[in-house]
Amino acid sequence: MRGEPERRFFFRGRPRSFRDGETLLAALSRESVPLLHRSVQYHRPQGAFCGIGHCTGCLVRVNGRPNVRACRHEPAEGDVVSTENAWPSASVDLLAAIGFFAPGGVDTLHGLRRPTFATPIYQRLVRRLAGTGEPPTSEAARALVAPPVDRSCEVAIVGGGDAGRAVAAALVARGVRPVVLERRLRPPAVAGADVVPATTAVFLPAPPEGAQRRFSLLAFAEPARGVRLDVRSVVLATGGYDAALLFRGNDRPGVLSADGALELAGPDARHLPFRRAVVVGGGMRTAQVIERCGDSVEAVVALGEIRPEVVRAASDLGILLYPRSLLLEAVGRRRVRAVRLRARGSGSPSTLPCDAIVLAHRRVPNSQLFFQAGAKMDWRPGVGAYFPNVGADGTTSVPGLFAAGFVAGVAPDAYSSVAELLASAIVETTARAPTTPDRAVPPSPPTELLGYYRELLRVPGHGRWVVCPCVDVLLSEVEDAVRSGYRGIEVIKRYTSLGTGICQGRYCLPDALLLLSILENRPPSDVGYITQRPPVVPTPLAAFAGFPAMTATEDSP
Amino acid sequence: MTFGRGSYRTVVVGAGIVGLFTAYHLARAGGGPVLVVDRGFLSSGASGRNGGGVRQQWETRGTVRLAHEAVQAYRRFGREFGFNIWFRQTGYLFLAENATELARLRTVHDVVSAEGLSSKVLDASGVARLVDGIAPGAVVGGTFLESDGTLYPFPAIWGVYEVARSLGVEVALGVEALGIEVRDGRVAGVLTSKGPVGTPTVVNAAGGWSGEFSRRAGLEVPNVATRHEILATEAMKPFLDPMVVRASDGLYFSQSMRGEIIGGVKVPHRPGTARGQPTSPEFLPTMARALVGLIPRLGAIGVLRAWSGFYDDTPDGFPVIGEDPRLPGFVHANGFGGHGFMLAPATSRRVAFVVLGQPTDLDPAQFSPSRFRAPTAAAAAERLQLG
């Protein structure tokens, strides 16, 4: 313990130690992460997947507050932590019998409606089984009350990563002191800028028309302090995240996004949550994972080709390479023990023993705030996602709204040069630079994503794969909906409940758009998109309740 | 060819719950062929944006009767339409913050009781027994009717849509009704974004856009689209059974079958019917304050998403049902003021009667389209425009 005083929280009644600056998930994973979560309907074991506060995998109850993300919570002395929605516990959960007795899923859309007199009984049962946790206690709510931050500033930058910090520095050099909202709990500082840590921007409405256009940006600081900025210019440097992938058992403990693997590993890779991982992907993100955790990587499995630099790095470390592969299954009942895959096109399945599957195959942008603000968006087939339409100087179709970094389609080596142009555009309020549609698409492996999903839909038994782990929606439910004549992502969402859970479609939507494109036989951009509703991440009511009452302005839209 | 035929007996504008139920009743009564057009996708309007409340507590006996008929229809829905709408009759609770409000709720209670429904007047402790964790002193009492309830709106849409189609109704989505073709002073067809279609009867069931469509047909109507906003929280284990409603600020919420708190509150009106139906900056703080003020422990639960939709409001709060005397063949089924889902099974049956030229039991002073031009001296009004 390097002389640190022993500090303890209680996990399911047992004391566990933690260190300063460590998240609950990191503290639990130092030995090995106990099973924290079960899927909401079928009670499959679920693991911490994203590591950055979006998925359902590490939701626990802390001091009477449900749905706390273990990866976002820094424990305090004496914290009482328990698991939820499992009986008697997440590690031994008898409710998993639901999945056992109804292997094809429970049809709550058509089933459980007859005889009519029995419906109140079904309803009581289903209500009892639904819901991730018991309601919060009054004490838990009281502990969250914090006075809000309500201030105005000239420039706000959302995202304090490399791109956001480059813009901040360029603005400081021009005499502007920007406010930088950063979601990470302990971000690095920027000289001359106000970096607000642990703060997530959740709502950026389109500004009202008129000469005095200003943005009203809503955010919250962990755990529940409301933050409202009245601001003239907003720079969104919200970056991207590693997407999920469809295969059997894709939410099993041990399946991690590259975000999650890197977050849990920490900058010095001291506490790797695996010893022999299989990394999925053949591009730059895979290279990053190998660079940080290479000694604990067993194999690289790519949906398409593997880039030469990844091949070089892997062969130096004796890592096996499986290009052009189809992932079939995460093997292992309570956590990943192996991965089953086969070569694309044909071939018989083979099994690779491993203790983790790290998904680094596809990085998609955090575009939510651009959608909310009404910015013009472009579909990028190579990535399979929408990016804002951005000018060379970071301007978007919304005056006063700028984009920087990955989300703007800028490659990392150009962050600082674009930041200079962007800062000048903000300070000088020049006319919008012309859009350059063929900008460097962010690095992503040429996976021919649609071809991959087409092949995946021919795998026998794929109907039982989980397409939305938050709400437990099976792929067969999506196929049934399309077969019944429902079309478009907005209707499929309402028909199947896909994308209505804790992550609000962040992890199922990138898959679902491609699947629907194939099932409906039209391009992904014609399938539509789920309206990006506020808040971007679940936000405690306490954070919004702290603001004083407001009245609408007459000229607002 | 865009449509299955060149002309129809009836064209219904709007594939929401009102339009679909109307088409269903028409098809069942042999009033086909019927075409339903909607400019959006299925459930894109208020029918897919509401909180799922179904109540029978109203200020006028005529509305109570219609609502009661709707409740009976929703009880049978699973059997007749093949979809489980999870219609849960665990009551509607109206809250009173002071004696004046309680007195007003009592008058509603009297109307409801006169229709034979067992509404109850509760004191503060009676309310506290129904709302676990309510802040002390938040209310003086309320009224409660257990046979009211909530349902899950989407499967209701799918059910009526599928059964109507199996009865021969044609539903064209993504098709906008642009106007009316008039010949010899009466409806002869509908102009749509996919071309003209012939019909002697058009039913305006366009919800928040019905005023706009009537005006496109040259009919001045008092319908106003009002944006209302709503949110859903993270799902919790069940702790709240009834739909809870507070008249003073328009707060309403219930706990869904999945465990989310779903509800809304009135925010200052912003005029206009922007197509994107965006959430306003005021809504989340206003709703959070109202909800946490009433049930403090909800401060520790997360908001998942907020969205908005349009009420189709009329000056007296009653819907408009009937043929427009200025334009024979133009039938109104609109102005539901946020209560289309609650009443549609009952009102749509009567709209079908109107289309088929049969008499209905609807009081013209309350429902007819001509009531706004010649209001009677002692006109009633429905002010319980909530949840």
Side-chain angles (χ1 to χ4, degrees):
Chain A
M1 288 268 129
R2 296 181 304 155
E4 287 172 18
E6 177 88 338
R7 302 180 67 198
R8 298 194 303 178
F9 63 95
F10 296 89
F11 179 72
R12 301 198 60 229
R14 294 234 193 89
R16 309 275 297 234
S17 68
F18 70 93
R19 297 167 184 164
D20 273 338
E22 195 173 52
T23 65
L24 187 52
L25 185 64
L28 289 168
S29 73
R30 245 186 298 119
E31 290 148 46
S32 75
V33 191
L35 190 49
L36 293 178
H37 200 257
R38 291 273 176 165
S39 73
V40 67
Q41 203 172 337
Y42 305 122
H43 294 259
R44 285 183 316 283
Q46 269 181 336
F49 167 75
C50 77
I52 50 170
H54 295 302
C55 75
T56 50
C58 71
L59 296 182
V60 289
R61 186 177 184 87
V62 179
N63 302 334
R65 181 181 169 206
N67 297 335
V68 174
R69 285 148 188 79
C71 66
R72 297 278 297 162
H73 178 76
E74 292 188 349
E77 179 76 37
D79 271 359
V80 177
V81 181
S82 58
T83 57
E84 306 188 293
N85 194 35
W87 190 85
S89 76
S91 41
V92 183
D93 182 9
L94 297 180
L95 296 170
I98 297 169
F100 183 77
F101 287 114
V106 178
D107 183 2
T108 52
L109 204 50
H110 302 90
L112 302 176
R113 65 191 157 83
R114 303 173 90 156
T116 308
F117 70 83
T119 50
I121 301 162
Y122 296 146
Q123 288 174 357
R124 269 198 293 278
L125 180 73
V126 168
R127 285 190 84 196
R128 194 58 229 164
L129 290 172
T132 35
E134 293 292 337
T137 60
S138 306
E139 294 71 37
R142 251 198 307 279
L144 290 183
V145 173
V149 176
D150 214 344
R151 57 176 287 193
S152 65
C153 59
E154 279 305 286
V155 184
I157 301 171
V158 179
D162 292 343
R165 287 204 307 278
V167 174
L171 283 165
V172 170
R174 285 165 179 77
V176 177
R177 186 180 184 90
V179 173
V180 183
L181 304 182
E182 169 52 40
R183 181 166 159 78
R184 276 175 298 167
L185 301 177
R186 290 164 190 274
V190 178
D194 295 337
V195 178
V196 189
T199 301
T200 309
V202 292
F203 187 25
L204 181 64
E209 297 294 329
Q212 295 292 311
R213 285 170 74 104
R214 286 179 76 86
F215 293 89
S216 176
L217 175 63
L218 269 183
F220 80 102
E222 296 284 342
R225 184 189 302 277
V227 176
R228 184 166 51 199
L229 298 180
D230 170 60
V231 55
R232 188 172 60 84
S233 305
V234 175
V235 182
L236 298 181
T238 43
Y241 64 99
D242 295 297
L245 184 63
L246 254 179
F247 51 88
R248 188 171 176 187
N250 61 349
D251 60 348
R252 198 72 85 238
V255 179
L256 291 164
S257 73
D259 287 320
L262 294 171
E263 192 67 33
L264 280 172
D268 48 2
R270 265 203 308 159
H271 307 295
L272 286 184
F274 45 77
R275 290 205 178 77
R276 39 193 322 208
V278 164
V279 182
V280 178
M284 295 317 294
R285 193 66 172 159
T286 301
Q288 281 173 8
V289 175
I290 291 177
E291 193 188 331
R292 188 97 65 88
C293 325
D295 292 340
S296 304
V297 174
E298 186 87 1
V300 167
V301 173
L303 317 185
E305 304 305 333
I306 301 177
R307 287 170 77 122
E309 47 269 59
V310 176
V311 173
R312 269 196 301 279
S315 17
D316 287 351
L317 293 163
I319 296 170
L320 303 170
L321 299 174
Y322 295 83
R324 294 193 56 78
S325 299
L326 193 70
L327 255 81
L328 298 171
E329 182 182 3
V331 183
R333 219 161 54 86
R334 289 164 52 86
R335 64 164 295 126
V336 173
R337 306 254 173 250
V339 59
R340 222 158 58 83
L341 50 94
R342 72 161 166 76
R344 294 278 300 276
S346 62
S348 50
S350 57
T351 304
L352 274 179
C354 63
D355 62 356
I357 299 170
V358 178
L359 302 181
H361 62 292
R362 180 181 178 197
R363 202 159 163 78
V364 292
N366 283 313
S367 296
Q368 297 91 346
L369 293 170
F370 292 100
F371 276 105
Q372 288 180 4
K376 182 177 183 304
M377 307 298 285
D378 296 328
W379 173 256
R380 296 218 181 158
V383 189
Y386 286 94
F387 284 76
N389 180 278
V390 182
D393 53 357
T395 46
T396 69
S397 66
V398 178
L401 181 68
F402 299 82
F406 175 85
V407 81
V410 177
D413 54 12
Y415 283 178
S416 55
S417 59
V418 174
E420 294 299 325
L421 291 175
L422 201 158
S424 301
I426 290 179
V427 173
E428 291 151 21
T429 355
T430 45
R432 196 189 169 198
T435 303
T436 44
D438 296 312
R439 307 182 48 129
V441 171
S444 84
T447 50
E448 314 156 284
L449 281 165
L450 273 174
Y452 184 86
Y453 280 82
R454 211 168 270 132
E455 203 170 331
L456 179 153
L457 283 171
R458 288 197 292 267
V459 174
H462 66 265
R464 282 161 64 179
W465 298 1
V466 179
V467 65
C468 166
C470 297
V471 193
D472 257 357
V473 179
L474 306 183
L475 185 42
S476 61
E477 295 177 62
V478 175
E479 291 180 301
D480 287 347
V482 174
R483 214 172 288 131
S484 304
Y486 296 93
R487 281 168 69 86
I489 187 73
E490 286 278 32
V491 177
I492 297 298
K493 168 194 165 188
R494 288 159 174 82
Y495 193 89
T496 62
S497 301
L498 165 152
T500 61
I502 288 274
C503 88
Q504 286 294 293
R506 186 181 287 262
Y507 286 107
C508 63
L509 196 52
D511 281 338
L513 286 179
L514 301 176
L515 288 170
L516 281 181
S517 156
I518 296 164
L519 296 171
E520 297 180 1
N521 197 21
R522 49 179 175 164
S525 50
D526 286 4
V527 167
Y529 203 67
I530 291 178
T531 308
Q532 297 297 297
R533 306 189 188 290
V536 172
V537 301
T539 307
L541 279 166
F544 294 129
F547 293 112
M550 291 186 284
T551 47
T553 46
E554 286 305 312
D555 61 348
S556 11
Chain B
M1 190 146 168
T2 310
F3 304 113
R5 323 164 50 94
S7 67
Y8 293 82
R9 170 87 184 270
T10 308
V11 173
V12 178
V13 178
I17 194 73
V18 172
L20 288 174
F21 257 124
T22 300
Y24 160 81
H25 282 294
L26 277 170
R28 266 185 32 142
V34 181
L35 171 71
V36 183
V37 297
D38 195 298
R39 72 184 195 180
F41 56 86
L42 208 54
S43 77
S44 58
S47 291
R49 294 170 178 274
N50 63 89
V54 177
R55 67 174 153 97
Q56 307 155 91
Q57 301 181 68
W58 299 89
E59 289 180 296
T60 46
R61 294 183 67 166
T63 316
V64 176
R65 273 198 291 273
L66 286 173
H68 182 64
E69 191 181 315
V71 163
Q72 300 308 315
Y74 282 132
R75 282 175 61 89
R76 294 190 307 268
F77 193 94
R79 215 166 56 223
E80 294 176 358
F81 292 88
F83 277 80
N84 191 342
I85 57 172
W86 297 101
F87 180 41
R88 187 175 98 222
Q89 289 182 281
T90 45
Y92 244 80
L93 173 66
F94 279 83
L95 303 178
E97 290 175 300
N98 52 51
T100 321
E101 285 177 13
L102 192 57
R104 187 179 154 211
L105 289 181
R106 260 181 211 284
T107 64
V108 177
H109 162 79
D110 293 341
V111 173
V112 173
S113 306
E115 284 297 314
L117 299 172
S118 55
S119 153
K120 285 184 206 141
V121 178
L122 305 174
D123 59 10
S125 65
V127 170
R129 271 194 293 279
L130 287 170
V131 185
D132 190 9
I134 192 169
V139 296
V140 298
T143 52
F144 180 63
L145 179 57
E146 194 169 8
S147 57
D148 289 348
T150 52
L151 52 72
Y152 193 39
F154 297 127
I157 299 281
W158 321 138
V160 187
Y161 169 71
E162 290 193 5
V163 173
R165 293 215 315 168
S166 73
L167 293 171
V169 171
E170 194 179 323
V171 182
L173 300 167
V175 176
E176 183 168 357
L178 301 171
I180 293 293
E181 195 185 327
V182 179
R183 210 176 301 140
D184 303 332
R186 58 165 300 128
V187 171
V190 180
L191 307 168
T192 78
S193 56
K194 295 277 169 72
V197 60
T199 185
T201 317
V202 60
V203 177
N204 181 2
W209 293 273
S210 66
E212 194 180 316
F213 181 63
S214 290
R215 280 167 215 126
R216 283 180 185 182
L219 299 171
E220 199 37 56
V221 291
N223 299 49
V224 174
T226 322
R227 187 172 61 176
H228 285 248
E229 305 188 48
I230 183 166
L231 61 72
T233 69
E234 294 168 340
M236 292 165 277
K237 294 294 178 193
F239 74 100
L240 178 72
D241 284 337
M243 172 77 90
V244 181
V245 180
R246 183 165 70 191
S248 61
D249 59 353
L251 173 71
Y252 69 94
F253 60 95
S254 70
Q255 194 182 14
S256 74
M257 286 296 301
R258 291 185 0 172
E260 307 130 329
I261 293 291
I262 293 184
V265 71
K266 280 184 186 152
V267 288
H269 175 56
R270 289 156 164 264
T273 54
R275 279 217 191 180
Q277 307 183 38
T279 295
S280 69
E282 295 83 14
F283 173 67
L284 286 166
T286 310
M287 181 64 185
R289 260 197 320 278
L291 212 45
V292 174
L294 192 64
I295 307 180
R297 65 177 173 158
L298 289 181
I301 200 74
V303 182
L304 277 192
R305 61 184 171 277
W307 65 98
S308 69
F310 288 105
Y311 281 19
D312 177 19
D313 285 329
T314 58
D316 57 10
F318 293 121
V320 187
I321 297 165
E323 187 172 29
D324 199 300
R326 295 165 293 181
L327 180 56
F330 193 95
V331 176
H332 293 276
N334 51 54
F336 283 86
H339 307 123
F341 233 100
M342 300 185 191
L343 300 173
T347 53
S348 298
R349 208 160 63 84
R350 290 159 173 83
V351 175
F353 289 154
V354 171
V355 171
L356 297 172
Q358 293 163 9
T360 73
D361 57 357
L362 295 172
D363 177 3
Q366 193 177 337
F367 295 104
S368 85
S370 47
R371 69 180 190 270
F372 303 112
R373 280 174 295 130
T376 49
E382 182 61 61
R383 292 179 310 272
L384 280 186
Q385 289 199 282
L386 292 161

